[in-house]
Amino acid sequence: MERSYLPAEVTSFVGRRAELAEIKRLLGVSRLVTLTGLGGVGKSRLALRAARAVRRSFPGGVHLVDLSDLEDPELLGHTVCQALGLPDRTARTPLEVLIEHLRDQRALLLLDGVDHLVSPCAPLVDALLRAAPRLRVLVTSRQVLDVPGEHLLVVPPLPVPGPDEPASAARHESVALFVERAAAAVAGFELTERNREAVARLCARLDGIPLALELAAVRLHAMSVEQILDRLDGRFRLLVGGGPTRPPRHQTLRTAMGWSHELCTPEERLLWARLSVFTGSFDLDAAESVCADERLPAAAILDGVAGLVEKSIVMREDSDGGVRYRLLDTVREYGAEWLLLLDPEGAAELRARHVRHFTAFATACEAAWFGPDQERIFARTRAEHRNLRAALEFCVTRPGHARDGMGLAAILWFYWVGCGYLGEGRHWLDQALALDPAPSPERARALWACGYVAGVQGDIAYATRLLEECREIGDPRVAARAVHRLACTAFLDDELERAVPLFEEALKRYARLDDGAPPRGTGPPEPFGDVGGHAAVARVELAMVTAFLGRRARSAELCREARAMCERRGERWVRAHLDYVESYWAWASGDPVRAIGLARASLAAHHAFHDVIGVVMAVELIALLVTEGAAVPSAYDQAAVLQGAAARLWQSVGMPSFGSRYFNEPHQECARRARAAIGERRYTAMLARGGRLGLDATVSRALSDESELVGVGHLDPGAAVKYALSDDTVNP
């Protein structure tokens, strides 16, 4: 099935037929095509249109990786993995994960905005092309990568009318773009005999640079074409800057930026400069929190943002979470230059305010994580991913902010662990911990979070060392979490008998803390203040341990307690893990219908949170369950396909079944049944078919009802889930 991960176009695409045809031709003969050209010339828009045009030729997907605002080159691989939807849960390098995923895929990778990352991008692209023979890469950059086999296409400005061509202006793409954008800005605008010559001169004066033309079109709100020309040819010539060595067209683009800047009010100019601290998009609350002070009151931010939107300085974006705003990369760079020019010391303080705002944002999200708003918190946090990354980058690169970095990286544990970003979380936590080894509350929290991340990644020895240090220096809440995670490391290391007393100790610590905790929702959120949510998690994990040990009564008791806690809170992420445990018990107790309903409920919830470990565990169990009493070979085919898909997912998250014989039991039993039913040769073929499925296709297949369960008939997935969840107790 064709997969395309490209943003929708919000304005029409004008011209570029020759360039589009050439890109298609180059992609047919070269595996690496780089579009170069000056900023604002339209490389990104052209690449997106070309990628959309050829997407049917790439069944492995067309994937956009926006690198324009990535500052830390060490996060390049993580960023590409995230763009491809690959889970960030393994201790392997991102390059290894990418190679494993792309090795057999006929896919197109669009790396947009590589200019400042040429050095790390070149070896990454070279390695991917060598390891994945069917991969194609399309790059936009002001510099070439200089990778073997690279084909270049210099994207020129749009053609402009010559001095003696005003009569034929309409046939030039620059004029067509300007007129279309002008009509969007001013109702009824059109090219006429009266304005034709002025429009032709304006497009020529702006050298056909699309960004400059679009900025010019917005000026028609307040000026005529002739007035714009007069101002361009007069005083705005002084805004070129950069001296005689700057290329002429870069001077033109800078002139356009300066021209837009000059037409802003003083308040709008100051706000433009301050908004440059945001990376990616931002909302109005963030703009008010970070940018407002005595010079620019919070009450003026809304009007300032609205004015910048009207002038096309700030782009408005509608999202599921509400209205967000974004500065184009070139516009943001210009604002950042003015910020440093106007107030160098204030620029550092503005970045610090940015850190404080997003630390408060993350703290509020963490405090509410074990509750009914989990999916909204996930979506909001993912929308702020680039700003969180920028805040962490500031903390680990500026003296005196290491503890701020530890605090922010630690408070984001729910995002790193629950939403599929373990690799990036480990990156920031390791960096921050290395900068300040002195005992502190922030260090204790970061030790716990890093131990949690490392443990889930399978780095048990490192996780244990961090958690032991955390237990020694942390306050009672952090120490309780450290004991809890030490229990989990023992569990994942198959030391179940050692894990049980540690889990029981953690539960006792949580109970003591919970007895003295203030009611939820009173006062501002406090970092690591929630005890009950982690107590529910510990119950689910201990229920799984006792299930594997065959202690049914204790496991059932823990499941009942955990489900009651989840229902009181309206919690879904922990409940998804609980559904897995109860599904395992239902299968062991001879109730396959209840088991498959619970497993599917677990799978759907984990997929919503991009928790790939939860997804692959549920898929392994569903593969086994579709063989229960199967009357036809197709059920065993389905099981083997799901096992093949799970094998591929395990490769992206670490060691299959965590290397645990207990977690591996459903897989082994399913494989035994399928081999006996359809034979080794067909079983192997079905595994290979499943290995070609991506994450979404795997989940879709596991949630379908292609199997036949004896005595159940064709029970659809929704009915199975409803039946499974109709009873809140386990039937051991």
Side-chain angles (χ1 to χ4, degrees):
M1 180 181 294
E2 171 199 331
R3 292 174 291 156
S4 179
Y5 303 94
L6 302 174
E9 293 182 320
V10 294
T11 58
S12 60
F13 186 86
V14 177
R16 299 294 195 188
R17 291 184 180 180
E19 289 88 347
L20 282 170
E22 181 62 7
I23 294 172
K24 292 180 185 179
R25 187 192 72 79
L26 288 174
L27 285 173
V29 300
S30 173
R31 298 182 55 220
L32 171 60
V33 178
T34 298
L35 308 186
T36 65
L38 63 110
V41 81
K43 300 185 294 295
S44 297
R45 188 71 189 274
L46 176 60
L48 282 168
R49 173 52 70 102
R52 190 172 285 107
V54 300
R55 65 188 185 276
R56 296 187 184 278
S57 300
F58 295 96
V62 177
H63 307 270
L64 169 64
V65 187
D66 183 359
L67 299 172
S68 59
D69 52 21
L70 178 64
E71 295 184 14
D72 188 346
E74 292 187 23
L75 290 176
L76 173 62
H78 292 293
T79 304
V80 179
C81 285
Q82 290 163 18
L84 269 66
L86 299 181
D88 190 10
R89 290 185 169 272
T90 174
R92 294 182 301 167
T93 67
L95 178 59
E96 291 172 326
V97 174
L98 287 167
I99 287 174
E100 184 64 38
H101 176 75
L102 294 169
R103 190 184 305 278
D104 301 318
Q105 297 286 328
R106 180 167 177 78
L108 176 64
L109 195 60
L110 170 50
L111 304 179
D112 186 31
V114 172
D115 316 61
H116 58 304
L117 296 168
V118 167
S119 294
C121 265
L124 174 71
V125 169
D126 188 45
L128 290 177
L129 290 174
R130 292 178 188 276
R134 304 174 71 197
L135 176 68
R136 294 285 191 276
V137 180
L138 180 60
V139 173
T140 72
S141 174
R142 299 181 199 181
Q143 303 180 61
V144 299
L145 295 187
D146 198 22
V147 170
E150 182 179 25
H151 280 60
L152 304 180
L153 175 63
V154 178
V155 179
L158 295 173
V160 300
D164 55 349
E165 295 184 291
S168 61
R171 66 181 178 83
H172 291 277
E173 292 177 356
S174 59
V175 174
L177 176 64
F178 177 81
V179 170
E180 184 161 320
R181 298 297 187 262
V186 178
F189 182 90
E190 59 183 356
L191 192 67
T192 65
E193 289 295 331
R194 182 176 179 180
N195 66 18
R196 190 187 310 273
E197 182 176 354
V199 168
R201 287 175 53 212
L202 178 61
C203 292
R205 176 67 180 82
L206 295 177
D207 286 324
I209 299 172
L211 178 58
L213 293 167
E214 296 196 7
L215 290 171
V218 176
R219 300 284 73 74
L220 292 173
H221 279 302
M223 304 161 65
S224 68
V225 178
E226 291 79 5
Q227 287 174 316
I228 294 173
L229 261 176
D230 289 342
R231 293 172 72 84
L232 260 183
D233 289 335
R235 59 186 289 196
F236 288 103
R237 190 173 297 152
L238 301 175
L239 297 173
V240 170
T245 60
R246 183 181 292 271
R249 288 195 175 100
H250 281 266
Q251 293 180 12
T252 299
L253 182 60
R254 190 166 182 80
T255 298
M257 289 289 100
W259 165 36
S260 293
H261 189 263
E262 185 72 11
L263 291 179
C264 292
T265 66
E267 292 78 12
E268 289 170 346
R269 293 178 208 163
L270 180 58
L271 181 58
W272 179 354
R274 292 181 175 182
L275 290 176
S276 68
V277 301
F278 290 103
T279 305
S281 63
F282 57 90
D283 61 19
L284 186 61
D285 288 343
E288 292 174 338
S289 173
V290 175
C291 300
D293 61 8
E294 63 281 357
R295 294 178 60 193
L296 193 62
I301 300 296
L302 175 58
D303 288 341
V305 169
L308 292 173
V309 169
E310 290 177 358
K311 296 175 176 67
S312 291
I313 302 302
V314 171
M315 302 293 108
R316 181 184 187 275
E317 300 177 344
D318 292 313
S319 68
D320 292 339
V323 176
R324 295 183 67 83
Y325 304 95
R326 179 188 301 273
L327 273 70
L328 294 178
D329 188 46
T330 306
V331 174
R332 186 166 67 90
E333 288 178 6
Y334 189 89
E337 290 180 12
W338 273 99
L339 182 62
L340 290 174
L341 182 66
L342 293 170
D343 189 1
E345 294 183 5
E349 170 55 26
L350 197 69
R351 291 291 302 271
R353 290 213 303 262
H354 180 272
V355 171
R356 290 194 293 272
H357 171 79
F358 284 102
T359 299
F361 164 82
T363 300
C365 289
E366 194 262 355
W369 174 247
F370 293 113
D373 290 334
Q374 277 178 321
E375 288 187 69
R376 187 175 65 87
I377 290 169
F378 169 47
R380 288 185 63 204
T381 310
R382 186 164 59 175
E384 301 294 2
H385 189 125
R386 292 181 177 179
N387 280 306
L388 292 166
R389 179 183 280 174
L392 288 164
E393 172 71 18
F394 176 81
C395 290
V396 301
T397 57
R398 299 299 193 282
H401 289 278
R403 290 190 180 181
D404 294 334
M406 284 191 285
L408 178 54
I411 208 71
L412 285 167
W413 70 265
F414 69 94
Y415 187 58
W416 310 137
V417 175
C419 306
Y421 296 99
L422 281 180
E424 181 164 346
R426 174 89 175 259
H427 168 84
W428 293 118
L429 287 161
D430 280 341
Q431 282 199 70
L433 285 168
L435 290 172
D436 188 352
S440 67
E442 294 85 1
R443 180 170 178 82
R445 294 167 186 164
L447 286 166
W448 172 81
C450 197
Y452 192 171
V453 167
V456 178
Q457 286 183 318
D459 196 348
I460 301 299
Y462 181 62
T464 301
R465 178 168 64 81
L466 295 176
L467 293 167
E468 290 288 3
E469 182 185 348
C470 170
R471 183 161 60 166
E472 294 300 319
I473 69 171
D475 65 24
R477 287 175 302 179
V478 181
R481 293 195 191 192
V483 173
H484 177 182
R485 284 298 120 200
L486 284 167
C488 289
T489 59
F491 178 19
L492 293 174
D493 211 24
D494 270 359
E495 296 186 35
L496 272 58
E497 293 292 357
R498 184 167 69 87
V500 171
L502 286 169
F503 275 120
E504 298 287 8
E505 180 188 346
L507 287 174
K508 290 177 182 177
R509 288 177 180 243
Y510 285 143
R512 289 196 296 269
L513 291 166
D514 208 19
D515 287 342
R520 280 170 54 83
T522 60
E526 183 182 356
F528 282 39
D530 187 8
V531 173
H534 290 276
V537 175
R539 281 174 168 81
V540 173
E541 291 162 339
L542 181 54
M544 194 175 299
V545 172
T546 51
F548 288 155
L549 289 173
R551 300 171 188 172
R552 297 191 174 193
R554 179 59 173 151
S555 182
E557 176 189 16
L558 289 162
C559 285
R560 284 192 293 270
E561 292 174 356
R563 187 170 290 279
M565 295 172 77
C566 290
E567 290 179 350
R568 282 198 302 271
R569 289 169 169 259
E571 208 281 342
R572 288 193 64 204
W573 181 63
V574 177
R575 179 166 175 164
H577 289 281
L578 176 61
D579 287 339
Y580 174 88
V581 179
E582 293 192 341
S583 176
Y584 180 90
W585 266 126
W587 165 68
S589 304
D591 190 348
V593 177
R594 179 175 175 80
I596 201 165
L598 285 162
R600 283 172 169 159
S602 175
L603 174 60
H606 282 303
H607 187 232
F609 291 112
H610 199 61
D611 185 344
V612 183
I613 284 183
V615 166
V616 70
M617 288 171 57
V619 169
E620 289 275 25
L621 191 53
I622 291 170
L624 169 63
L625 292 169
V626 299
T627 69
E628 283 292 311
V632 293
S634 62
Y636 297 99
D637 288 347
Q638 166 80 331
V641 168
L642 290 176
Q643 283 200 313
R648 178 169 183 169
L649 291 176
W650 277 120
Q651 290 171 353
S652 67
V653 298
M655 188 179 297
S657 301
F658 311 108
S660 165
R661 65 185 179 90
Y662 298 100
F663 280 102
N664 201 39
E665 181 182 348
H667 177 89
Q668 293 294 345
E669 177 61 17
C670 178
R672 184 191 64 77
R673 294 180 182 182
R675 283 189 172 99
I678 60 178
E680 184 67 33
R681 183 174 180 180
R682 185 166 182 81
Y683 175 73
T684 301
M686 294 298 104
L687 285 179
R689 178 181 296 180
R692 294 190 289 270
L693 295 178
L695 175 64
D696 293 344
T698 298
V699 172
S700 177
R701 192 176 187 101
L703 291 176
S704 70
D705 195 42
E706 295 186 10
S707 60
E708 294 183 15
L709 304 178
V710 169
V712 179
H714 299 284
L715 187 64
D716 67 85
V721 172
K722 183 178 180 181
Y723 171 79
L725 301 181
S726 63
D727 183 359
D728 287 340
T729 63
V730 179
N731 180 24

